[in-house]
Amino acid sequence: YSTDSAQLRTDDGATVVDVKEGQVTVTAATVTVNATNVTLSGSSTVTISNGTHIDGHVFLSHEHTGVLAGGAVTGGVNPLGP
């Protein structure tokens, strides 16, 4: 429980939305955002782990086609995993 923020909690305390000036923290096993558009902006680090998929392809195990030395632009993605 907090003395410096507003909190919304489940009865077991496992899921929490904590709101204070300039900051919102969500603690949950799963967070779902349903929106037509989602914009994330800021100057910080984003950490994504545990089998991240982008457009149905495993993010960490992929290659690019048309890779050339120097400052050339690569070709498309060749997914290596499901």
Side-chain angles (χ1 to χ4, degrees), residues 23-47:
Q23 179 179 327
V24 175
T25 303
V26 178
T27 304
T30 301
V31 175
T32 302
V33 176
N34 295 308
T36 301
N37 295 298
V38 176
T39 301
L40 302 173
S41 61
S43 56
S44 63
T45 300
V46 175
T47 302

